[in-house]
Amino acid sequence: MDGVTVSVLGALVALAVAIVLILKKVQPTYAMIFGAVIGGLVGGAGLTGTVSFIISGTQGIVSAIIRIVTAGILAGALIESGAAERIAESIINKMGAKRSLIAITLATWLLTTVGVFGDVACITVAPIALQMARRAGYHKMGVLMAQLGAVRAGNVMSPNPNAIAAAEAFNLPLTSIIAVGVIPAVTALIVTSLLAKRLSMRGTEITEADIGGEAAQQKDLPPLWAALSGPVVTIAILLLRPIAGITIDPLIALPVGGIVGAIAMGKARDMGHYFNAGLAKMSGVAMLLVGTGALSGIISNSGLKDVIISFIETLGLPGFMLAPISGMLMGAATASATAGTTLASQIFGPTVVASGVTPLAAAAMTHASCFVFDGLPHGSFFHVSAGGVNMEISERLKLLGYEAINGLAMMAVSTLVFGVLRLAG
């Protein structure tokens, strides 16, 4: 639609309507599509222009959606086979009750790093985490803070949907996104450990009811080497590009890892079930990105980007600051690292790169900053993480500030390393 644009008011209305509808428990995909439609109409694009912008925005993320759907094979194998539970159990049991908070952090981080969704990682680790923490006398706030920070540390350096979205938007290898996520991940792990220790005796105590009374019965879990085989194979395949110059797309690497893992665990007969479970999990993310694409189509064709750029210039901030600021704002608007990364990368990424920042540096700063406010109450992660440890919403709200501290630390170190020092070329 040549000559047709959406006003700043229209873009803000699109975001506001989407957030309000999500808070009203409307399915996020529909909430963002409805917001995009209303924002486009209010912004003066007309019905035809609004639909055109929505379709173009959605088309821009189709390739990311395909890769995310195929990643479900690895996720399904890890979750349904018991591999994720085995990995978490091994770490926590090995470190013992006295170091249970560190063990909980490492277990949740590792699960997320190898490709398990953050909410699933929390739910998987929570039962044994509560048992170990209760033996040490710790309270729920410390346990959940260990998990919340670890999820972010894992997500920023994993083959999860948010990293795939960043790789797609900036046309970079997934391994590059994972590599530049290591520094903010280490920062997050350190900050998380300090915050979890500080909160270890705060909040409600862990009771017998929280851990199911009796210790969980032994399950038929795979051996640790087999549980790790799928992620190891996936990472090895992805590393062929930087090591040997052989490029194998994540669309191939992630499913192969899942299939190899299932075979190594002796569960090849359950492959069909893992496929179905993985697709069911990834379908929600794929649909979320459809809504994100619709919203992106409206915002990217509006004057909102120019207003934010002008605001940054007025404050005298360098151009690269658009990357972390946009990531933080979009993460907060959607309460989702995946949606936030997608929106910030698609809408503001080209402008950041045009200012002289390398695509890899722009991706690193944008991605890391999406974790500052991605756990707000209008997102699902807020509620799922609370449910994993049987925490009341009023108590869960008290952790938002600590989550923000953790996310700001990730954002700050990423901006320093890749924006100020320009260590990613």
Side-chain angles (χ1 to χ4, degrees), residues 82-404:
E85 190 172 349
R86 168 61 76 195
I87 295 169
E89 181 185 81
S90 298
I91 294 174
I92 295 176
N93 285 337
K94 188 73 173 178
M95 298 190 72
K98 289 184 178 180
R99 294 184 292 273
S100 58
L101 288 179
I102 296 176
I104 292 165
T105 301
L106 292 178
T108 311
W109 163 76
L110 183 57
L111 288 188
T112 316
T113 299
V114 300
V116 177
F117 278 18
D119 54 355
V120 176
C122 282
I123 293 172
T124 301
V125 173
I128 187 170
L130 289 172
Q131 290 180 38
M132 298 298 286
R134 187 168 187 269
R135 292 179 199 170
Y138 295 139
H139 293 191
K140 289 182 181 179
M141 287 186 72
V143 173
L144 188 53
M145 186 63 229
Q147 291 191 295
L148 296 175
V151 163
R152 289 166 172 81
N155 260 330
V156 78
M157 55 173 294
S158 75
N160 267 317
N162 42 280
I164 294 174
E168 283 293 309
F170 289 96
N171 193 28
L172 294 166
L174 181 57
T175 47
S176 297
I177 300 297
I178 293 173
V180 295
V182 172
I183 293 176
V186 171
T187 302
L189 287 174
I190 294 172
V191 174
T192 297
S193 298
L194 295 173
L195 292 176
K197 183 64 177 177
R198 181 180 178 84
L199 296 169
S200 61
M201 303 304 295
R202 295 189 185 183
T204 55
E205 296 183 14
I206 301 169
T207 66
E208 285 289 336
D210 292 318
I211 60 176
E214 299 293 330
Q217 62 180 7
Q218 290 290 330
K219 299 178 182 177
D220 182 21
L221 300 178
L224 183 60
W225 70 268
L228 288 169
S229 61
V232 168
V233 167
T234 298
I235 294 170
I237 293 174
L238 291 173
L239 285 175
L240 288 175
R241 175 173 178 142
I243 293 176
I246 302 173
T247 301
I248 299 181
D249 197 277
L251 188 148
I252 304 298
L254 274 69
V256 168
I259 293 170
V260 170
I263 294 172
M265 291 182 286
K267 297 180 180 291
R269 292 182 178 179
D270 298 322
M271 203 94 70
H273 172 64
Y274 300 158
F275 283 17
N276 292 335
L279 180 60
K281 186 63 181 176
M282 292 299 184
S283 293
V285 181
M287 289 298 99
L288 175 68
L289 289 186
V290 169
T292 303
L295 201 57
S296 172
I298 296 298
I299 297 175
S300 61
N301 286 284
S302 75
L304 181 60
K305 177 172 61 178
D306 298 325
V307 170
I308 295 177
I309 294 172
S310 297
F311 176 71
I312 292 174
E313 292 175 346
T314 300
L315 293 178
L317 298 175
F320 65 76
M321 286 301 298
L322 178 60
I325 290 174
S326 64
M328 180 175 61
L329 292 176
M330 294 301 101
T334 58
S336 165
T338 300
T341 300
T342 304
L343 281 174
S345 301
Q346 293 280 348
I347 297 169
F348 300 97
T351 303
V352 176
V353 173
S355 71
V357 180
T358 65
L360 185 56
M365 291 185 285
T366 302
H367 189 204
S369 62
C370 289
F371 297 101
V372 178
F373 297 117
D374 68 317
L376 293 177
H378 57 286
S380 61
F381 182 64
F382 174 91
H383 302 280
V384 171
S385 58
V389 295
N390 296 323
M391 180 179 284
E392 295 292 334
I393 296 301
S394 58
E395 187 174 358
R396 176 67 179 85
L397 287 168
K398 296 177 182 178
L399 286 173
L400 289 178
Y402 295 99
E403 289 180 81

